[in-house]
Amino acid sequence: MQHENTMEKIISLAKRRGFIFQGSEIYGGLAGTWDYGPLGVALKNNIKKLWWKRFVEARSDMYGMDAAILMRQEVWQASGHVSGFSDPLVECTKCKRRFRADHLEDKKKCPECGGLLGDEKQFNMMFKTHVGAAEDASAISYLRPETAQGMFVNFKNVLDTFHPKLPFGMAQIGKAFRNEIAPRDFLFRTREFEQMEIEYFVTPGEWKEKFEHFRTEVWNFTKDIGLSQEKIHELEVSDADRAHYSKRTIDFEFDYPFGKKELYGLAYRTDFDLKSHSEKSGQDLSYFDETTKERFLAHCIEPSFGVDRTFLAVLTDAYHEDELGLKPSSNEDGSPEAGEKRVYLKLSPEVAPIKVAVFPLLKNKPTLVEKAREVFEVFRKQGGAVAFDDNGNIGKRYRRQDEIGTVLTITIDFQTLEDNSVTVRDRDTMKQIRVSGENLERRVSEVLAGVKIFDSF
Ligand code: ATP
């Protein structure tokens, strides 16, 4: 199947080039966990930085948070997760494999061995643990299945320390854990993942307006990270499918190679959480409006973004095999050879883990290497997302940089030693242009900032 083929190639590239490794790989792997390698963590951090910039730094109504993963069990009782955060589970009576009942077409027959499936049971997805040395019921805690509750339980702290007026929001990026019955599709459904969430508090009357505001902002964020807009679709979630706390939800779905699946959610959570926590904790979590002299519970709009699903969307969207059937050959000059495929990641400069790579044309010419090191240092001092590569012939080096999505490569050759000019190559078009030394820094930063297109060199 075509999409399986594409996913296999992407997973293999992600491993080969140091983006993503299987969790606990040397022990045979741990299902539903993945480890981010050096390039993966760089790309992931770029995504998180863009999110934080748009939703926290660029606004005056947002308060950043980083709450503890472990929380008192009462938090999850009040939120409804202890009683209701479960998926329907069925087990095959023959091969004993377990499946999510709502993902099966035939709820009676095992999709693996054809055996009879047992009765449907509710399986709670929270990872349970004990805090401290005692293992009694009072010590029970859970790894958080969402970051949201860390913000609701701190609502009063933010109110008391910063005295914000409604509307205002709290934002957090952090790990979440769900003991998924069937983790699958690489980073899409995992048991440990990261979320970027906002709880935006409003007066009950303004929820519709703010819901629309965040609907637009979700789209704007997908532009920040360079996702193809035509691959994103909104889905109005029906009454029957909405989470217990939500009065309106829009899912933002993305065309992954394995199908159209949820990337983000935008939900109107009403005052459900603040109300439950007020009742359970006995603390007053209401808001007093100085103008109207009214005291009430704030309502909440929640845009929720999965970091790993974003990473996967960015990676699959960026993966390209040259339509021309060309790849950089092993020719010294890196020119393409007919009949072979070139693989490259068309990442936007904002998310690309390496923006610029610097090559000396030949490894064994100290004058070229020294000059290339000098140029490399200039870009490294600017921010670090730069690579130095003198390993193998230039064609191989281009291929390596294309596969990791490096935006521009700069080659130092013999002409550089004469007139200080260099060759700059564009990843997407493979076009090469001669740029003078004094213009290099400015020209490169313009291209990376998207101010000038490569053609303007
Ligand atoms: P699904 O229906 O796919 O299980 P969900 O509706 O339960 O997802 P939410 O509870 O809305 O997901 O979680 C918010 C966001 O967290 C999702 O939009 C997604 O980006 C991310 N997310 C949720 N579950 C996982 C998971 N198992 N692995 C990776 N990301 C996840």
Side-chain angles (χ1 to χ4, degrees):
M1 288 219 284
Q2 182 56 40
H3 74 263
E4 281 179 4
N5 205 354
T6 308
M7 278 311 289
E8 265 169 33
K9 286 187 203 164
I10 291 171
I11 295 169
S12 145
L13 184 151
K15 176 170 184 190
R16 194 172 65 249
R17 293 295 182 214
F19 285 89
I20 305 284
F21 308 119
Q22 195 186 1
S24 310
E25 189 178 5
I26 62 167
Y27 289 100
L30 179 63
T33 66
W34 297 93
D35 296 342
Y36 285 76
L39 293 186
V41 70
L43 201 165
K44 180 155 101 151
N45 282 342
N46 290 341
I47 291 170
K48 292 195 280 186
K49 265 188 243 159
L50 286 168
W51 188 89
W52 197 258
K53 195 169 145 201
R54 168 169 292 280
F55 290 108
V56 182
E57 288 169 3
R59 305 177 62 117
S60 54
D61 59 350
M62 203 66 83
Y63 295 83
M65 279 292 310
D66 187 10
I69 289 174
L70 291 172
M71 289 193 273
R72 290 272 294 244
Q73 56 178 296
E74 288 91 334
V75 173
W76 305 108
Q77 289 161 358
S79 68
H81 285 82
V82 171
S83 59
F85 193 61
S86 43
D87 274 342
L89 168 82
V90 281
E91 193 178 284
C92 175
T93 51
K94 200 165 142 202
C95 72
K96 304 290 172 205
R97 284 198 181 86
R98 295 173 147 206
F99 305 95
R100 237 178 95 165
D102 56 336
H103 285 171
L104 294 176
E105 271 172 33
D106 185 343
K107 294 200 171 39
K108 290 271 165 271
K109 194 168 141 200
C110 174
E112 294 289 337
C113 75
L116 187 69
L117 293 176
D119 291 339
E120 195 174 300
K121 281 184 251 169
Q122 286 302 315
F123 173 75
N124 194 300
M125 288 196 290
M126 284 199 294
F127 283 97
K128 206 178 202 175
T129 188
H130 289 91
V131 176
E135 292 217 347
D136 60 359
S138 68
I140 290 174
S141 182
Y142 303 89
L143 300 186
R144 66 181 178 206
E146 60 173 28
T147 61
Q149 298 304 323
M151 293 182 269
F152 292 121
V153 300
N154 278 291
F155 174 81
K156 190 167 156 36
N157 283 333
V158 168
L159 214 54
D160 291 348
T161 42
F162 296 91
H163 310 287
K165 301 268 168 288
L166 288 180
F168 73 91
M170 294 167 73
Q172 163 158 270
I173 301 178
K175 290 269 187 177
F177 304 82
R178 296 183 188 180
N179 201 0
E180 296 278 357
I181 295 167
R184 61 164 87 171
D185 296 324
F186 195 27
L187 303 173
F188 182 81
R189 188 172 301 286
T190 59
R191 291 185 168 134
E192 174 175 344
F193 54 97
E194 239 176 320
Q195 291 183 316
M196 307 182 281
E197 291 196 300
I198 293 166
E199 307 307 323
Y200 196 79
F201 299 101
V202 299
T203 57
E206 64 185 343
W207 79 265
K208 283 188 180 152
E209 182 201 328
K210 297 303 173 193
F211 191 93
E212 287 307 319
H213 165 73
F214 280 105
R215 190 175 180 177
T216 310
E217 281 296 273
V218 171
W219 280 101
N220 287 338
F221 176 66
T222 66
K223 289 180 200 150
D224 292 346
I225 53 175
L227 278 187
S228 299
Q229 298 292 286
E230 69 281 3
K231 289 189 185 164
I232 305 166
H233 315 275
E234 289 189 4
L235 173 80
E236 185 78 48
V237 180
S238 69
D239 291 358
D241 290 339
R242 272 199 310 265
H244 58 281
Y245 49 73
S246 173
K247 270 225 172 128
R248 183 179 180 195
T249 299
I250 290 179
D251 280 351
F252 290 79
E253 298 186 316
F254 184 78
D255 293 324
Y256 289 100
F258 43 86
K260 191 163 79 163
K261 296 274 165 75
E262 177 179 332
L263 172 64
Y264 305 138
L266 172 63
Y268 169 41
R269 288 179 89 126
T270 67
D271 59 357
F272 175 85
D273 301 270
L274 289 181
K275 194 180 195 170
S276 307
H277 287 306
S278 289
E279 285 166 9
K280 181 95 187 160
S281 66
Q283 301 278 326
D284 180 7
L285 302 183
S286 65
Y287 173 85
F288 182 70
D289 190 320
E290 301 282 355
T291 329
T292 61
K293 306 288 176 214
E294 274 178 299
R295 183 169 280 286
F296 59 93
L297 282 169
H299 281 221
C300 182
I301 309 287
E302 179 192 71
S304 178
F305 304 71
V307 177
D308 314 77
R309 286 188 189 180
T310 308
F311 187 106
L312 186 58
V314 166
L315 196 62
T316 57
D317 197 22
Y319 182 85
H320 280 74
E321 287 177 4
D322 218 313
E323 294 91 21
L324 300 169
L326 300 173
K327 75 169 185 183
S329 72
S330 37
N331 296 338
E332 278 295 290
D333 65 353
S335 60
E337 234 168 52
E340 291 177 283
K341 273 195 181 148
R342 178 174 86 106
V343 171
Y344 63 108
L345 291 185
K346 204 172 171 179
L347 296 168
S348 80
E350 281 77 16
V351 297
I354 306 284
K355 323 273 186 226
V356 178
V358 183
F359 304 160
L361 180 65
L362 299 172
K363 187 183 184 166
N364 51 8
K365 288 276 180 273
T367 43
L368 290 180
V369 175
E370 197 186 314
K371 180 68 192 164
R373 282 264 167 222
E374 221 177 83
V375 174
F376 167 74
E377 280 305 319
V378 168
F379 287 101
R380 197 181 59 82
K381 281 192 188 121
Q382 279 181 5
V386 52
F388 182 87
D389 193 353
D390 61 1
N391 203 355
N393 68 42
I394 203 116
K396 284 213 184 91
R397 286 185 250 164
Y398 280 140
R399 185 160 60 211
R400 252 197 316 267
Q401 296 302 328
D402 284 345
E403 278 203 329
I404 63 172
T406 303
V407 187
L408 297 174
T409 39
I410 299 171
T411 303
I412 310 303
D413 54 23
F414 292 105
Q415 201 185 322
T416 316
L417 303 179
E418 282 169 25
D419 64 5
N420 206 25
S421 70
V422 298
T423 301
V424 180
R425 173 185 178 270
D426 172 59
R427 174 196 65 201
D428 300 343
T429 60
M430 295 190 285
K431 250 170 121 175
Q432 302 192 5
I433 297 169
R434 206 76 209 167
V435 179
S436 69
E438 69 263 30
N439 286 336
L440 184 63
E441 262 185 84
R442 180 175 55 82
R443 281 293 170 92
V444 167
S445 54
E446 280 171 354
V447 171
L448 295 179
V451 177
K452 291 256 172 83
I453 57 165
F454 191 73
D455 283 346
S456 70
F457 264 107

PDB file of all heavy atoms in Angstrom, residues 100 178 180 187-190 193 195 262-265 304-306 309, ligand 1:
ATOM      1  N   ARG A 100      -9.182  -1.548  20.569  1.00  0.00           N
ATOM      2  CA  ARG A 100     -10.150  -0.507  20.921  1.00  0.00           C
ATOM      3  C   ARG A 100     -11.405  -0.780  20.122  1.00  0.00           C
ATOM      4  O   ARG A 100     -11.386  -0.761  18.886  1.00  0.00           O
ATOM      5  CB  ARG A 100      -9.596   0.864  20.556  1.00  0.00           C
ATOM      6  CG  ARG A 100      -9.536   1.784  21.748  1.00  0.00           C
ATOM      7  CD  ARG A 100      -8.943   3.083  21.372  1.00  0.00           C
ATOM      8  NE  ARG A 100     -10.007   4.039  21.044  1.00  0.00           N
ATOM      9  CZ  ARG A 100      -9.793   5.340  20.961  1.00  0.00           C
ATOM     10  NH1 ARG A 100      -8.587   5.821  21.159  1.00  0.00           N
ATOM     11  NH2 ARG A 100     -10.782   6.157  20.658  1.00  0.00           N
ATOM     12  N   ARG A 178      -1.002   8.652  28.418  1.00  0.00           N
ATOM     13  CA  ARG A 178      -2.260   7.896  28.299  1.00  0.00           C
ATOM     14  C   ARG A 178      -1.908   6.452  27.956  1.00  0.00           C
ATOM     15  O   ARG A 178      -1.169   6.216  26.993  1.00  0.00           O
ATOM     16  CB  ARG A 178      -3.147   8.482  27.196  1.00  0.00           C
ATOM     17  CG  ARG A 178      -3.589   9.887  27.519  1.00  0.00           C
ATOM     18  CD  ARG A 178      -4.525  10.445  26.465  1.00  0.00           C
ATOM     19  NE  ARG A 178      -4.761  11.857  26.745  1.00  0.00           N
ATOM     20  CZ  ARG A 178      -5.530  12.656  26.028  1.00  0.00           C
ATOM     21  NH1 ARG A 178      -6.146  12.177  24.962  1.00  0.00           N
ATOM     22  NH2 ARG A 178      -5.684  13.919  26.354  1.00  0.00           N
ATOM     23  N   GLU A 180      -2.743   4.135  26.136  1.00  0.00           N
ATOM     24  CA  GLU A 180      -3.540   3.814  24.950  1.00  0.00           C
ATOM     25  C   GLU A 180      -3.597   2.300  24.750  1.00  0.00           C
ATOM     26  O   GLU A 180      -2.581   1.608  24.872  1.00  0.00           O
ATOM     27  CB  GLU A 180      -2.916   4.461  23.704  1.00  0.00           C
ATOM     28  CG  GLU A 180      -2.893   5.985  23.703  1.00  0.00           C
ATOM     29  CD  GLU A 180      -4.208   6.604  23.262  1.00  0.00           C
ATOM     30  OE1 GLU A 180      -5.137   5.850  22.895  1.00  0.00           O
ATOM     31  OE2 GLU A 180      -4.310   7.853  23.307  1.00  0.00           O
ATOM     32  N   LEU A 187       4.363   8.563  15.628  1.00  0.00           N
ATOM     33  CA  LEU A 187       4.193   9.507  16.728  1.00  0.00           C
ATOM     34  C   LEU A 187       2.743   9.891  16.958  1.00  0.00           C
ATOM     35  O   LEU A 187       2.432  10.631  17.888  1.00  0.00           O
ATOM     36  CB  LEU A 187       4.961  10.800  16.408  1.00  0.00           C
ATOM     37  CG  LEU A 187       6.444  10.657  16.133  1.00  0.00           C
ATOM     38  CD1 LEU A 187       7.019  11.976  15.675  1.00  0.00           C
ATOM     39  CD2 LEU A 187       7.153  10.193  17.405  1.00  0.00           C
ATOM     40  N   PHE A 188       1.838   9.379  16.115  1.00  0.00           N
ATOM     41  CA  PHE A 188       0.454   9.864  16.171  1.00  0.00           C
ATOM     42  C   PHE A 188      -0.253   9.454  17.463  1.00  0.00           C
ATOM     43  O   PHE A 188      -0.875  10.273  18.129  1.00  0.00           O
ATOM     44  CB  PHE A 188      -0.354   9.382  14.961  1.00  0.00           C
ATOM     45  CG  PHE A 188      -1.759   9.906  14.992  1.00  0.00           C
ATOM     46  CD1 PHE A 188      -2.033  11.189  14.552  1.00  0.00           C
ATOM     47  CD2 PHE A 188      -2.805   9.151  15.514  1.00  0.00           C
ATOM     48  CE1 PHE A 188      -3.318  11.713  14.613  1.00  0.00           C
ATOM     49  CE2 PHE A 188      -4.096   9.670  15.583  1.00  0.00           C
ATOM     50  CZ  PHE A 188      -4.341  10.946  15.131  1.00  0.00           C
ATOM     51  N   ARG A 189      -0.201   8.182  17.782  1.00  0.00           N
ATOM     52  CA  ARG A 189      -0.868   7.715  19.009  1.00  0.00           C
ATOM     53  C   ARG A 189       0.162   7.029  19.890  1.00  0.00           C
ATOM     54  O   ARG A 189       0.538   5.887  19.657  1.00  0.00           O
ATOM     55  CB  ARG A 189      -2.019   6.773  18.667  1.00  0.00           C
ATOM     56  CG  ARG A 189      -2.865   6.427  19.886  1.00  0.00           C
ATOM     57  CD  ARG A 189      -4.116   5.662  19.524  1.00  0.00           C
ATOM     58  NE  ARG A 189      -4.968   6.398  18.611  1.00  0.00           N
ATOM     59  CZ  ARG A 189      -5.719   7.448  18.948  1.00  0.00           C
ATOM     60  NH1 ARG A 189      -5.739   7.874  20.196  1.00  0.00           N
ATOM     61  NH2 ARG A 189      -6.452   8.066  18.058  1.00  0.00           N
ATOM     62  N   THR A 190       0.638   7.736  20.882  1.00  0.00           N
ATOM     63  CA  THR A 190       1.681   7.208  21.755  1.00  0.00           C
ATOM     64  C   THR A 190       1.171   7.192  23.197  1.00  0.00           C
ATOM     65  O   THR A 190       0.101   7.720  23.482  1.00  0.00           O
ATOM     66  CB  THR A 190       2.943   8.088  21.671  1.00  0.00           C
ATOM     67  OG1 THR A 190       2.583   9.411  22.051  1.00  0.00           O
ATOM     68  CG2 THR A 190       3.514   8.110  20.271  1.00  0.00           C
ATOM     69  N   PHE A 193       3.388  11.628  25.520  1.00  0.00           N
ATOM     70  CA  PHE A 193       3.466  12.656  24.482  1.00  0.00           C
ATOM     71  C   PHE A 193       3.463  14.026  25.135  1.00  0.00           C
ATOM     72  O   PHE A 193       3.421  14.143  26.364  1.00  0.00           O
ATOM     73  CB  PHE A 193       2.314  12.510  23.476  1.00  0.00           C
ATOM     74  CG  PHE A 193       0.937  12.495  24.103  1.00  0.00           C
ATOM     75  CD1 PHE A 193       0.170  13.651  24.169  1.00  0.00           C
ATOM     76  CD2 PHE A 193       0.408  11.327  24.625  1.00  0.00           C
ATOM     77  CE1 PHE A 193      -1.100  13.641  24.739  1.00  0.00           C
ATOM     78  CE2 PHE A 193      -0.856  11.310  25.202  1.00  0.00           C
ATOM     79  CZ  PHE A 193      -1.611  12.465  25.262  1.00  0.00           C
ATOM     80  N   GLN A 195       1.896  18.058  25.158  1.00  0.00           N
ATOM     81  CA  GLN A 195       0.796  18.929  24.741  1.00  0.00           C
ATOM     82  C   GLN A 195       1.173  20.394  24.918  1.00  0.00           C
ATOM     83  O   GLN A 195       1.993  20.741  25.776  1.00  0.00           O
ATOM     84  CB  GLN A 195      -0.444  18.658  25.614  1.00  0.00           C
ATOM     85  CG  GLN A 195      -1.082  17.305  25.373  1.00  0.00           C
ATOM     86  CD  GLN A 195      -2.346  17.133  26.201  1.00  0.00           C
ATOM     87  OE1 GLN A 195      -2.357  17.484  27.380  1.00  0.00           O
ATOM     88  NE2 GLN A 195      -3.381  16.587  25.608  1.00  0.00           N
ATOM     89  N   GLU A 262      -7.157  13.562  13.711  1.00  0.00           N
ATOM     90  CA  GLU A 262      -7.106  14.755  14.578  1.00  0.00           C
ATOM     91  C   GLU A 262      -5.680  15.222  14.870  1.00  0.00           C
ATOM     92  O   GLU A 262      -4.838  14.467  15.352  1.00  0.00           O
ATOM     93  CB  GLU A 262      -7.814  14.463  15.910  1.00  0.00           C
ATOM     94  CG  GLU A 262      -7.723  15.642  16.883  1.00  0.00           C
ATOM     95  CD  GLU A 262      -8.426  15.411  18.210  1.00  0.00           C
ATOM     96  OE1 GLU A 262      -9.396  14.645  18.258  1.00  0.00           O
ATOM     97  OE2 GLU A 262      -7.983  16.024  19.207  1.00  0.00           O
ATOM     98  N   LEU A 263      -5.480  16.515  14.592  1.00  0.00           N
ATOM     99  CA  LEU A 263      -4.208  17.159  14.907  1.00  0.00           C
ATOM    100  C   LEU A 263      -4.384  17.982  16.199  1.00  0.00           C
ATOM    101  O   LEU A 263      -3.626  17.826  17.144  1.00  0.00           O
ATOM    102  CB  LEU A 263      -3.816  18.055  13.719  1.00  0.00           C
ATOM    103  CG  LEU A 263      -2.629  18.984  13.845  1.00  0.00           C
ATOM    104  CD1 LEU A 263      -1.335  18.200  14.039  1.00  0.00           C
ATOM    105  CD2 LEU A 263      -2.505  19.862  12.594  1.00  0.00           C
ATOM    106  N   TYR A 264      -5.395  18.845  16.210  1.00  0.00           N
ATOM    107  CA  TYR A 264      -5.664  19.708  17.367  1.00  0.00           C
ATOM    108  C   TYR A 264      -7.147  19.689  17.724  1.00  0.00           C
ATOM    109  O   TYR A 264      -7.980  19.312  16.905  1.00  0.00           O
ATOM    110  CB  TYR A 264      -5.298  21.166  17.051  1.00  0.00           C
ATOM    111  CG  TYR A 264      -3.888  21.385  16.583  1.00  0.00           C
ATOM    112  CD1 TYR A 264      -3.617  22.259  15.537  1.00  0.00           C
ATOM    113  CD2 TYR A 264      -2.826  20.721  17.188  1.00  0.00           C
ATOM    114  CE1 TYR A 264      -2.312  22.476  15.106  1.00  0.00           C
ATOM    115  CE2 TYR A 264      -1.525  20.931  16.767  1.00  0.00           C
ATOM    116  CZ  TYR A 264      -1.271  21.811  15.717  1.00  0.00           C
ATOM    117  OH  TYR A 264      -0.001  22.010  15.293  1.00  0.00           O
ATOM    118  N   GLY A 265      -7.448  20.145  18.936  1.00  0.00           N
ATOM    119  CA  GLY A 265      -8.843  20.302  19.335  1.00  0.00           C
ATOM    120  C   GLY A 265      -9.071  21.710  19.873  1.00  0.00           C
ATOM    121  O   GLY A 265      -8.161  22.320  20.445  1.00  0.00           O
ATOM    122  N   SER A 304      -6.179  23.000  22.233  1.00  0.00           N
ATOM    123  CA  SER A 304      -5.236  21.972  22.693  1.00  0.00           C
ATOM    124  C   SER A 304      -4.440  21.435  21.499  1.00  0.00           C
ATOM    125  O   SER A 304      -5.012  20.982  20.522  1.00  0.00           O
ATOM    126  CB  SER A 304      -6.040  20.853  23.351  1.00  0.00           C
ATOM    127  OG  SER A 304      -5.188  19.829  23.765  1.00  0.00           O
ATOM    128  N   PHE A 305      -3.107  21.510  21.632  1.00  0.00           N
ATOM    129  CA  PHE A 305      -2.225  21.143  20.517  1.00  0.00           C
ATOM    130  C   PHE A 305      -1.317  20.000  20.953  1.00  0.00           C
ATOM    131  O   PHE A 305      -0.674  20.086  21.996  1.00  0.00           O
ATOM    132  CB  PHE A 305      -1.308  22.304  20.136  1.00  0.00           C
ATOM    133  CG  PHE A 305      -1.995  23.599  19.777  1.00  0.00           C
ATOM    134  CD1 PHE A 305      -2.627  24.365  20.753  1.00  0.00           C
ATOM    135  CD2 PHE A 305      -1.979  24.077  18.476  1.00  0.00           C
ATOM    136  CE1 PHE A 305      -3.239  25.570  20.426  1.00  0.00           C
ATOM    137  CE2 PHE A 305      -2.592  25.277  18.139  1.00  0.00           C
ATOM    138  CZ  PHE A 305      -3.220  26.016  19.118  1.00  0.00           C
ATOM    139  N   GLY A 306      -1.245  18.943  20.162  1.00  0.00           N
ATOM    140  CA  GLY A 306      -0.294  17.876  20.443  1.00  0.00           C
ATOM    141  C   GLY A 306       1.035  18.195  19.767  1.00  0.00           C
ATOM    142  O   GLY A 306       1.067  18.471  18.569  1.00  0.00           O
ATOM    143  N   ARG A 309       2.060  15.170  17.397  1.00  0.00           N
ATOM    144  CA  ARG A 309       1.242  15.128  16.172  1.00  0.00           C
ATOM    145  C   ARG A 309       1.610  16.272  15.240  1.00  0.00           C
ATOM    146  O   ARG A 309       1.536  16.142  14.026  1.00  0.00           O
ATOM    147  CB  ARG A 309      -0.253  15.163  16.517  1.00  0.00           C
ATOM    148  CG  ARG A 309      -0.715  13.837  17.077  1.00  0.00           C
ATOM    149  CD  ARG A 309      -2.218  13.754  17.247  1.00  0.00           C
ATOM    150  NE  ARG A 309      -2.556  12.547  17.975  1.00  0.00           N
ATOM    151  CZ  ARG A 309      -3.784  12.172  18.291  1.00  0.00           C
ATOM    152  NH1 ARG A 309      -4.812  12.925  17.930  1.00  0.00           N
ATOM    153  NH2 ARG A 309      -3.990  11.058  18.947  1.00  0.00           N
TER     154      ARG A 309
HETATM  155  P1  ATP B   1      -7.938  10.906  19.970  1.00  0.00           P
HETATM  156  O1  ATP B   1      -9.421  10.976  19.732  1.00  0.00           O
HETATM  157  O2  ATP B   1      -7.124  10.880  18.715  1.00  0.00           O
HETATM  158  O3  ATP B   1      -7.535   9.860  20.970  1.00  0.00           O
HETATM  159  P2  ATP B   1      -8.381  12.973  21.832  1.00  0.00           P
HETATM  160  O4  ATP B   1      -9.583  13.643  21.257  1.00  0.00           O
HETATM  161  O5  ATP B   1      -8.527  12.058  22.966  1.00  0.00           O
HETATM  162  O6  ATP B   1      -7.537  12.288  20.664  1.00  0.00           O
HETATM  163  P3  ATP B   1      -7.576  15.264  23.267  1.00  0.00           P
HETATM  164  O7  ATP B   1      -7.975  14.684  24.552  1.00  0.00           O
HETATM  165  O8  ATP B   1      -8.419  16.325  22.651  1.00  0.00           O
HETATM  166  O9  ATP B   1      -7.338  14.102  22.200  1.00  0.00           O
HETATM  167  O10 ATP B   1      -6.066  15.752  23.401  1.00  0.00           O
HETATM  168  C1  ATP B   1      -5.614  16.978  22.894  1.00  0.00           C
HETATM  169  C2  ATP B   1      -4.479  16.785  21.888  1.00  0.00           C
HETATM  170  O11 ATP B   1      -3.442  15.968  22.435  1.00  0.00           O
HETATM  171  C3  ATP B   1      -4.906  16.046  20.618  1.00  0.00           C
HETATM  172  O12 ATP B   1      -5.480  16.933  19.691  1.00  0.00           O
HETATM  173  C4  ATP B   1      -3.602  15.467  20.131  1.00  0.00           C
HETATM  174  O13 ATP B   1      -2.885  16.432  19.389  1.00  0.00           O
HETATM  175  C5  ATP B   1      -2.856  15.161  21.419  1.00  0.00           C
HETATM  176  N1  ATP B   1      -2.963  13.736  21.765  1.00  0.00           N
HETATM  177  C6  ATP B   1      -3.980  13.123  22.414  1.00  0.00           C
HETATM  178  N2  ATP B   1      -3.740  11.820  22.580  1.00  0.00           N
HETATM  179  C7  ATP B   1      -2.522  11.576  22.036  1.00  0.00           C
HETATM  180  C8  ATP B   1      -1.701  10.412  21.911  1.00  0.00           C
HETATM  181  N3  ATP B   1      -2.074   9.240  22.398  1.00  0.00           N
HETATM  182  N4  ATP B   1      -0.506  10.534  21.285  1.00  0.00           N
HETATM  183  C9  ATP B   1      -0.104  11.725  20.799  1.00  0.00           C
HETATM  184  N5  ATP B   1      -0.833  12.856  20.900  1.00  0.00           N
HETATM  185  C10 ATP B   1      -2.022  12.797  21.511  1.00  0.00           C
END
